[in-house]
Amino acid sequence: MGRTSDAKERILAAAQSLIEQRGFSALGVAEICKAAGVPKGSFYYFFDSKEVLALAVLDEHWAGQRAGWSRVLSGDAPPLERLRRLFEETEAEQRAGQQSCGTVSGCLFGNLTLEMSNQTEAIRERLQQIFEAQVDMVEEVVAEARQDGEVTVSDSREAARSVVAQLEGQVLFAKLYNNTQRLDALWENCLALLGATAPGAAHRAGASLV
Amino acid sequence: MGRTSDAKERILAAAQSLIEQRGFSALGVAEICKAAGVPKGSFYYFFDSKEVLALAVLDEHWAGQRAGWSRVLSGDAPPLERLRRLFEETEAEQRAGQQSCGTVSGCLFGNLTLEMSNQTEAIRERLQQIFEAQVDMVEEVVAEARQDGEVTVSDSREAARSVVAQLEGQVLFAKLYNNTQRLDALWENCLALLGATAPGAAHRAGASLV
């Protein structure tokens, strides 16, 4: 097939799928090329090294996820309601992955953080940027909820970090137990971490809060 | 050195250290034996496979950690105070690891969950048992705090899961940013997740809570 116009996309897709199944360290370039159906020469035409490929996989996955997060988090719904939708979509996405490949694959960024961040500074740095961007997006919504008096937390950024950390921790358990229902707790935990009231808080405009 | 009496311990120690640095998949038996200073024959005398070694590393690490958790969580201090000490000790341990090897290595169980749980059912099962045991220990303390009226959460087990998930998520960030101060948030987040009051809650016997 050689350097067909979609060879790069096929390599990226195959690499992401293989990374989700078996992590990054254990993968070889030959295996990735075989799964992508491209000759090895194509790989090195597009990517100087496995590390460059890993960065490209991270960038592509984040581009897709950022668009999804942005869509969910920037709507017209009340801010907490948007956060709730983020968790619902995360659960739906993990469930879809489980249905298609048999296991909950978890968060690609969390997986690679625990596998790779201590081995490659370039990957560590990229993962930091991605998680900072996630925290930025959540922080913006938390700040809105603060302005609306829906949450009592004093530091929106720190609260956003804790929400993202809870998300990563629960996704880890969803993967471990191969059970997406582990993610059901995210919404109530988010409300607790933000100092909001009962799960209905987002729906009750001007509700008095703790 | 052959099958000296401490060869098994040396293999386990070398394996744990290498797994913390580079994950499990990328390790070879030869590399582990070289780091342990034992001939390859010794490895297969003690361990049938790399997977059997991984299980032994998990068991040994958990035996040590369980003793530490048990000591901290079963003392005479008020229940929330004991949880606070658990987080402090976790942070101290990660800091000590960072000082000795230059980077925060994170949680061995979390690392192997994200790297290995979808590849090997035996490892998945063992990691599930370990995390269930952690949740058991935290749940017991949460139940005590409930009896004392210090927390308002209705389901002690679910709350314990969320506390352990938050711990895993924040340890992931401590590793990603190579910064143990990320763990400073654990105590306040734990109080929030348990529906306790301000950080001083554990110190104020009989304080009225939210």
Side-chain angles (χ1 to χ4, degrees):
Chain A
M1 284 184 211
R3 294 167 190 169
T4 58
S5 57
D6 66 345
K8 188 175 182 183
E9 285 64 40
R10 292 219 308 279
I11 294 170
L12 283 169
Q16 180 172 331
S17 167
L18 287 167
I19 290 171
E20 282 179 345
Q21 289 165 45
R22 316 205 288 105
F24 181 70
S25 308
L27 291 184
V29 168
E31 183 183 10
I32 296 165
C33 291
K34 193 178 166 201
V38 302
K40 225 170 159 176
S42 287
F43 183 94
Y44 289 106
Y45 177 76
F46 295 115
F47 305 103
D48 285 342
S49 65
K50 237 181 89 182
E51 182 181 308
V52 171
L53 170 70
L55 294 170
V57 168
L58 288 175
D59 287 345
E60 184 167 274
H61 189 65
W62 175 232
Q65 190 179 90
R66 184 177 48 208
W69 281 43
S70 183
R71 179 178 43 75
V72 171
L73 293 180
S74 64
D76 286 334
L80 290 183
E81 176 66 18
R82 283 178 259 152
L83 279 177
R84 192 175 61 76
R85 286 189 197 160
L86 178 69
F87 304 138
E88 284 173 358
E89 296 228 353
T90 300
E91 188 167 345
E93 197 180 294
Q94 292 291 328
R95 205 164 41 233
Q98 185 189 32
Q99 276 157 5
S100 78
C101 74
T103 52
V104 173
S105 61
C107 166
L108 181 72
F109 307 129
N111 294 346
L112 286 179
T113 292
L114 294 197
E115 189 190 349
M116 298 302 298
S117 65
N118 278 355
Q119 295 176 58
T120 314
E121 281 309 310
I123 291 179
R124 185 199 292 275
E125 203 176 300
R126 192 66 53 93
L127 285 164
Q128 286 178 355
Q129 289 163 357
I130 290 168
F131 277 115
E132 285 302 309
Q134 288 189 352
V135 171
D136 286 346
M137 292 169 92
V138 172
E139 182 190 4
E140 213 170 295
V141 182
V142 172
E144 274 187 68
R146 275 189 70 199
Q147 281 189 332
D148 296 351
E150 291 217 322
V151 300
T152 57
V153 78
S154 60
D155 182 336
S156 297
R157 183 149 199 90
E158 200 52 51
R161 281 193 201 290
S162 297
V163 168
V164 176
Q166 177 71 210
L167 181 62
E168 285 300 315
Q170 296 283 12
V171 167
L172 181 148
F173 285 126
K175 178 170 178 174
L176 176 62
Y177 292 91
N178 194 23
N179 182 354
T180 57
Q181 289 182 348
R182 296 277 162 167
L183 302 174
D184 288 349
L186 282 171
W187 170 231
E188 285 205 37
N189 289 343
C190 171
L191 293 179
L193 289 168
L194 297 180
T197 50
H203 305 286
R204 287 181 283 115
S208 81
L209 295 156
V210 176
Chain B
M1 282 185 213
R3 295 168 187 168
T4 59
S5 57
D6 67 345
K8 188 175 181 182
E9 285 64 40
R10 293 219 308 278
I11 294 170
L12 283 169
Q16 180 172 331
S17 165
L18 286 168
I19 289 170
E20 282 179 344
Q21 288 165 47
R22 315 205 288 105
F24 182 70
S25 307
L27 292 184
V29 169
E31 182 183 10
I32 296 165
C33 292
K34 193 178 166 199
V38 302
K40 226 170 158 176
S42 287
F43 183 94
Y44 288 106
Y45 177 75
F46 294 114
F47 305 102
D48 284 343
S49 65
K50 237 182 88 182
E51 182 181 309
V52 171
L53 170 70
L55 294 170
V57 168
L58 288 175
D59 287 344
E60 184 168 276
H61 190 64
W62 174 231
Q65 190 180 90
R66 184 177 47 207
W69 281 43
S70 183
R71 178 178 44 75
V72 171
L73 293 180
S74 64
D76 287 335
L80 291 182
E81 177 65 20
R82 283 177 260 152
L83 279 177
R84 193 176 61 78
R85 285 188 199 160
L86 179 69
F87 303 137
E88 285 172 357
E89 296 228 353
T90 301
E91 186 166 347
E93 197 180 293
Q94 292 291 330
R95 204 164 41 235
Q98 185 190 32
Q99 277 158 3
S100 78
C101 75
T103 52
V104 173
S105 62
C107 167
L108 182 71
F109 307 130
N111 294 347
L112 286 179
T113 293
L114 294 198
E115 188 190 350
M116 298 302 298
S117 65
N118 278 356
Q119 294 176 59
T120 314
E121 281 309 310
I123 291 179
R124 185 200 290 275
E125 204 176 299
R126 192 66 54 94
L127 285 164
Q128 286 178 355
Q129 289 162 356
I130 290 169
F131 277 114
E132 285 302 308
Q134 287 190 353
V135 170
D136 286 346
M137 292 169 90
V138 173
E139 182 190 3
E140 214 169 297
V141 182
V142 172
E144 274 187 67
R146 274 189 73 199
Q147 282 190 331
D148 296 353
E150 292 216 323
V151 300
T152 57
V153 78
S154 60
D155 182 336
S156 297
R157 183 147 200 92
E158 202 50 52
R161 281 194 202 290
S162 298
V163 168
V164 175
Q166 177 72 209
L167 181 62
E168 285 300 315
Q170 296 283 11
V171 167
L172 181 149
F173 285 126
K175 178 171 177 172
L176 176 63
Y177 292 91
N178 194 22
N179 183 352
T180 58
Q181 290 181 347
R182 295 277 163 168
L183 302 174
D184 288 349
L186 282 171
W187 171 229
E188 285 204 38
N189 289 342
C190 171
L191 292 178
L193 288 168
L194 297 179
T197 50
H203 304 288
R204 287 181 283 114
S208 81
L209 296 156
V210 176

